Amino acid sequence: MSDTAPPVLEARGVSKYFGRVIALEDVSLSVRAGEVNCLLGDNGAGKSTLIKLLSGVYQPDSGTLLMDGQPLELASPRDALDRGIATVFQDLAVMPLMSITRNFFLGSEPTRGSGPFRRFDLAACDDIARAQMREIGIEVRDTSQLVGTLSGGERQTVAIARAEYFGARALILDEPTSALGVKEAAIVLRHVLRARSRGLAVIFITHNVQHALPIGDTFTILNHGRLAGTYRRGEVDLEQLLRLMGGGEELNELARELEELARENAGARVARTVPPPAEVPPPPAG
Amino acid sequence: MSTADAPAVPARTRRVNPLRRFLNRPEFGAVAGTILVFLVFLLLTGGKGFLEARGIAGQLQVAAQIGILGATVSLLMIAGEFDLSIGSMIGAAGLVLALCLVHFQLPVWLAVIITFAFAIGWGFLQGWIVVRTGLPSFLVTLASLFILRGGSIGATRAITNLTVVSGVNDKIAGDPFAALFNATLLSITIPGGGRADFRIEILWWIIIAGLATWVLLRTRFGNWIFGTGGSATAARNLGVPVARVKISLFMCTAASAALLATIQVMSVGSADVLRGQNKEFEAIITAVIGGTALSGGFGSALGSMFGALTLGITQLGIFFVPGFNTDWYQVVLGGLLLAAVIVNDYLRRRASEARR
Ligand SMILES: Nc1ncnc2c1ncn2[C@@H]1O[C@H](COP(=O)(O)OP(=O)(O)O)[C@@H](O)[C@H]1O
Ligand SMILES: [Mg+2]
């Protein structure tokens, strides 16, 4: 039924050039409310560039952005945030020398009072930040603690909790799991699903297909700045996705090379162990 | 896939007691340093002169003058930028004021407004160039240092044939507006002769440093200052108007230089093209002793008050140490800077990395 509503966020035939580098050419992507679109591609495929267009960091050189079917002009990240598009960028954007609360509300500080007495309402913010962090699974007692004292996964959590709190319509996550351990990655994936069930439009970027497959409703694949395909859940499997990302060939080749190597090693060991003919060489590790 | 939906993650942070929290504040080093320096000079001088009314008034005056600059400079440094032009701006703004009063015969209030407009306009231009070109502010304001100083000398000589403009006292005598900048708050007559004057710049210092502290810690603009210095790109991506923050702060440092220039011209009665030399560095030292990181993103305007106090204590203290004189001030200042950088760097690292 929500299929009849226009996508919350859409890029239609967008291109972006950095000097002579073609970062993106004629790429389209759309995501509906309550849906996760997994944006896949190898390093340098243009994933980050695409979502930076959708979050107002860059402006497209051609093509259009749409929100709810209406043309969308984003002059700055502020514009995107004001429209309820919140992004966790790949380089995280948390400040290690600022407290958890200050980081959480950076750029969107609620204020109290008016005129020259308008002030940053830190006490209320402490409570909100603590509650949001608890929601996402981290118990913080002292929200004045510097973010630099947190582990990598916890910092990621601050950034995600913040985006979840401020992203009213769309949540964009740029490789949130790439630097995480297995358990931490699982927590992040669970939050992607939770955001989806809350009715947000989610764009989830990864180059890890195992992370994408279980949570994606749609898969958009980029390869060298161009669209390599868009598939619904169930239309593709892991191997197809890998091949589309441009990694399939390389992986096949790697598998062949490994096999060859194993064979050569076995051969070498046989050759070395020829003199005492009674001994049997150990089987190659498999 | 079928794990419980509410993950029970154990608490990973311990409750931190208030003392420990203070130890992790950026101004902790400055407070400790001020007390230490005070005790050292108390010991070296035996309190003679140093702890007498005149000595204290002198310490506070030095502290107030450098503290007015240190407060705005620390905000700018927390935002990740430098302003090397404020020393020259003190000379230039002082000349603008004196010329307006003496040469162009303008009323005091108008002359003061023109002086501040000149400084704030210059600060805007400087900030705009830094933001637009993306060049390091170190270079842009270094250029500005020479342009302002050279321009002041050239223009003043062209207009008056001299490099000093005097005769200000006649113009401001009895003017209530001028009293804002040169009044004496408290004058203590000393039994043995002479007076100890506590001047109005002490009040200006407290107001400006207090205001800077409030803005930094209690307003959204303050949070933007931290964010801008932490990472300008990341802050911009979070919707912080980074360019506006930086330009505003360059306007503030220039305005604080204009304020100090106005105080000096109205107290001394003349303007000199060479006034304010090295003040840009003393202001940076004040901020650094106060716990502000050279790399930006961390620091304290309150700390700069203690930094300024340390400078005041040192400059006056040396004067009263037997066998020494103020020639040695710069040596001690350099030593203090080095010590402060080392200590504050250590404290900052401890605050941001310990307790993993
Ligand atoms: N600001 C930039 N200036 C120049 N080239 C860029 C810039 N940002 C990205 N690129 C180039 O665009 C291409 C796509 O980069 P990116 O979008 O970061 O890829 P991904 O996120 O998929 O790894 C890369 O070749 C990268 O070098
Ligand atoms: Mg990327």
Side-chain angles (χ1 to χ4, degrees), chain B residues 10-267:
Chain B
R12 288 294 294 276
T13 55
R14 294 176 288 129
R15 188 170 289 291
V16 185
N17 71 38
L19 176 69
R20 191 171 175 121
R21 203 183 278 187
F22 172 65
L23 294 186
N24 284 336
R25 297 261 342 138
E27 52 278 297
F28 163 69
V31 175
T34 306
I35 295 171
L36 189 71
V37 168
F38 179 80
L39 290 177
V40 165
F41 280 107
L42 192 62
L43 215 68
L44 289 176
T45 62
K48 201 176 160 332
F50 178 67
L51 253 196
E52 288 162 15
R54 225 146 109 195
I56 292 175
Q59 292 170 34
L60 286 178
Q61 184 162 341
V62 172
Q65 296 211 357
I66 197 64
I68 287 171
L69 302 175
T72 56
V73 165
S74 57
L75 294 193
L76 181 68
M77 283 173 63
I78 294 170
E81 302 291 347
F82 286 99
D83 188 348
L84 296 182
S85 74
I86 53 172
S88 295
M89 179 52 83
I90 292 169
L95 285 165
V96 170
L97 179 63
L99 286 174
C100 283
L101 289 170
V102 178
H103 198 81
F104 300 111
Q105 301 282 341
L106 297 177
V108 176
W109 63 270
L110 185 59
V112 170
I113 288 177
I114 289 174
T115 303
F116 275 83
F118 165 73
I120 290 171
W122 189 273
F124 173 84
L125 190 72
Q126 207 161 239
W128 184 80
I129 291 173
V130 168
V131 167
R132 281 307 294 263
T133 60
L135 290 170
S137 53
F138 186 90
L139 290 178
V140 173
T141 60
L142 183 63
S144 175
L145 179 159
F146 284 97
I147 293 170
L148 272 177
R149 185 70 76 191
S152 316
I153 297 173
T156 309
R157 222 197 288 273
I159 296 173
T160 67
N161 283 327
L162 298 165
T163 57
V164 178
V165 179
S166 48
V168 173
N169 278 340
D170 299 342
K171 302 293 168 201
I172 60 171
D175 191 294
F177 201 70
L180 278 176
F181 304 101
N182 68 0
T184 300
L185 296 175
L186 174 69
S187 185
I188 299 173
T189 312
I190 292 159
R195 291 209 322 265
D197 285 343
F198 292 85
R199 305 183 60 91
I200 198 164
E201 55 254 45
I202 298 171
L203 194 62
W204 277 111
W205 171 41
I206 292 169
I207 291 172
I208 287 177
L211 203 63
T213 301
W214 185 76
V215 165
L216 189 61
L217 297 182
R218 286 287 172 268
T219 69
R220 67 193 315 191
F221 189 81
N223 212 38
W224 295 350
I225 293 175
F226 282 119
T228 299
S231 161
T233 312
R236 195 178 297 114
N237 287 349
L238 288 169
V240 174
V242 169
R244 182 143 60 90
V245 169
K246 288 189 178 178
I247 292 174
S248 307
L249 291 175
F250 276 110
M251 290 160 76
C252 285
T253 52
S256 69
L259 174 62
L260 185 55
T262 306
I263 289 169
Q264 288 185 342
V265 168
M266 296 217 181
S267 305

Side-chain angles (χ1 to χ4, degrees), chain A residues 47-48 90 174-175:
Chain A
K47 308 181 294 295
S48 296
Q90 193 167 7
D174 193 350
E175 304 211 15

Side-chain angles (χ1 to χ4, degrees), chain A residues 18 21-23 41-50 58 90 174-175:
Chain A
F18 294 109
V21 177
I22 301 171
D42 200 5
N43 279 329
K47 308 181 294 295
S48 296
T49 305
L50 178 55
Y58 301 143
Q90 193 167 7
D174 193 350
E175 304 211 15

